């Protein structure tokens, strides 16, 4: 049976240019409501992947996202938010996009069609069997991603795929397939819409759950966040106030001295215990 890309089938809507602004917005919103339900169906596969990642990360493993176009950009986005949110070194979660950083803003011709470049990109990071590589491909057929996953599996590296099409080639190339079937896009074939939204949700789920299990969250707070602006310093100060019952000014001085909520609280409690 020939592989059918559900994500590229004709939109359920037509004559879009004849619709009013309100109609277009309501239609898009109607379609977007389907995304969370599609992600929900993929939860068992996501859970399996996260469990495997945590075990590997505790041994020093890393997460690599790989994709082309929108899929690649979303992987890079998720990776780039880990250091400021959880205080992890940028080397722990890495996003790679076909065509390199130039492709974050501009299309790079034929970059996604190279089946060997993905593995070459990974080798620059000394990829090893402790790591996990997650290929993101809405279509499920991106050669850059499939080639990288095949090479990773050949070298004993855990692989996963996030796709919008069931039984896709990228799923066959992965150890764990996360198939989030959101159906045809509002604008036919525009996978930056529902597929992209679902990919962002899944990447959020993966990285956030991993970081929680790696001890980067306490209670429900980002106690390891980077203090990169006044808003975050204020937020961190209030966390320290809540935890240690200090005055605001005392908490702020302690926070700025140690650089993170967790470090400040640990240092203060260490002094008290002595």
């Amino acid at each position: 049976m020939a592989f059918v890309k559900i994500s590229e089938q004709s939109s359920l809507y037509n004559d879009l240019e004849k619709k009013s602004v309100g109609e277009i917005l309501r239609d898009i919103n109607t379609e977007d409501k389907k995304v969370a339900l599609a992600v929900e169906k993929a939860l068992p596969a996501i859970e399996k992947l996260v469990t495997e990642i945590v075990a590997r990360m505790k041994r020093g493993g890393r997460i690599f996202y790989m994709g082309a176009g929108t899929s690649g950009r979303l992987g890079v986005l998720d990776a780039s938010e880990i250091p400021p949110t959880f205080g992890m070194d940028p080397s722990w979660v890495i996003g790679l996009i076909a065509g390199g950083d130039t492709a974050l803003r501009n299309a790079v011709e034929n970059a996604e069609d190279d089946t060997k470049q993905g593995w070459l990109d990974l080798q620059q990071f000394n990829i090893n069997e402790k790591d996990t590589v997650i290929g993101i491909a809405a279509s499920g057929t991106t050669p850059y991603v499939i080639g990288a996953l095949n090479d990773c599996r050949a070298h004993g590296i855990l692989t996963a795929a996030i796709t919008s099409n069931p039984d896709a080639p990228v799923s066959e190339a992965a150890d764990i397939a996360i198939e989030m079937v959101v159906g045809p896009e509002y604008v036919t074939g525009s996978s930056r819409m529902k597929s992209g939204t679902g990919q962002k949700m899944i990447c959020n789920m993966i990285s956030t759950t991993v970081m929680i299990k790696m001890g980067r969250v306490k209670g429900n707070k980002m106690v390891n966040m980077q203090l990169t602006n006044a808003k975050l310093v204020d937020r961190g100060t209030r966390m320290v106030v809540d935890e240690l019952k200090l005055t605001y000014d005392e908490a702020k001085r302690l926070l700025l001295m140690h650089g993170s909520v967790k470090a400040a609280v640990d240092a203060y409690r260490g002094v008290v215990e002595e």
Side-chain angles (χ1 to χ4, degrees):
M1 180 184 296
F3 172 59
V4 177
K5 297 180 185 178
I6 295 175
S7 62
E8 297 194 15
Q9 289 183 347
S10 184
S11 173
L12 303 178
Y13 307 80
N14 205 352
D15 298 323
L16 305 187
E17 71 278 10
K18 297 178 182 178
K19 292 178 177 287
S20 69
V21 170
E23 286 179 302
I24 293 171
L25 295 177
R26 284 190 292 274
D27 289 346
I28 292 174
N29 183 240
T30 295
E31 289 302 300
D32 283 345
K33 291 174 183 177
K34 300 176 181 179
V35 179
L37 295 175
V39 172
E40 182 180 14
K41 292 179 181 178
L43 283 177
I46 300 171
E47 180 180 359
K48 181 178 180 182
L49 174 60
V50 170
T51 302
E52 294 280 357
I53 290 174
V54 171
R56 284 165 172 74
M57 268 201 152
K58 287 182 176 179
R59 302 197 306 269
R62 300 162 293 174
I63 298 173
F64 289 86
Y65 290 118
M66 302 194 73
T70 298
S71 298
R73 294 181 188 105
L74 288 169
V76 171
L77 172 63
D78 195 71
S80 69
E81 291 176 340
I82 301 307
T85 306
F86 300 105
M88 293 288 276
D89 188 275
S91 64
W92 284 85
V93 183
I94 298 166
L96 299 176
I97 182 171
D101 286 353
T102 299
L104 291 173
R105 293 182 180 273
N106 302 284
V108 177
E109 188 174 359
N110 299 324
E112 71 174 67
D113 297 327
D114 191 332
T115 60
K116 299 300 180 185
Q117 188 59 47
W119 179 244
L120 293 176
D121 290 346
L122 286 167
Q123 286 183 298
Q124 296 178 32
F125 295 90
N126 297 315
I127 188 83
N128 63 74
E129 69 280 354
K130 296 178 185 176
D131 299 323
T132 303
V133 176
I134 304 171
I136 311 174
S139 67
T141 59
T142 309
Y144 173 82
V145 174
I146 293 173
L149 295 184
N150 282 330
D151 285 326
C152 285
R153 289 184 80 179
H155 288 82
I157 298 163
L158 178 68
T159 58
I162 302 173
T163 182
S164 297
N165 290 290
D167 303 317
V170 75
S171 295
E172 296 178 8
D175 296 305
I176 300 173
I178 299 171
E179 296 179 336
M180 167 207 60
V181 185
V182 294
E185 298 287 0
Y186 183 67
V187 175
T188 299
S190 182
S191 57
R192 58 179 284 275
M193 301 187 76
K194 287 189 296 182
S195 289
T197 300
Q199 289 169 354
K200 179 69 168 69
M201 291 172 70
I202 291 171
C203 288
N204 277 349
M205 289 174 142
I206 293 169
S207 59
T208 301
T209 309
V210 168
M211 290 298 113
I212 291 170
K213 289 300 181 182
M214 291 295 292
R216 309 306 292 183
V217 172
K218 179 176 173 57
N220 57 19
K221 306 244 181 355
M222 298 183 290
V223 294
N224 289 285
M225 65 184 179
Q226 293 179 352
L227 307 175
T228 54
N229 57 50
K231 177 190 73 175
L232 296 179
V233 171
D234 176 68
R235 181 187 298 167
T237 300
R238 294 181 188 281
M239 289 184 200
V240 175
V241 169
D242 290 342
E243 190 71 21
L244 299 179
K245 310 307 178 188
L246 301 175
T247 67
Y248 185 91
D249 288 342
E250 289 172 334
K252 185 174 181 179
R253 282 196 295 272
L254 188 67
L255 176 67
L256 295 177
M257 182 186 304
H258 294 283
S260 76
V261 174
K262 185 177 187 304
V265 170
D266 288 349
Y268 182 85
R269 285 183 170 154
V271 170
V272 169
E273 288 170 4
E274 292 175 0

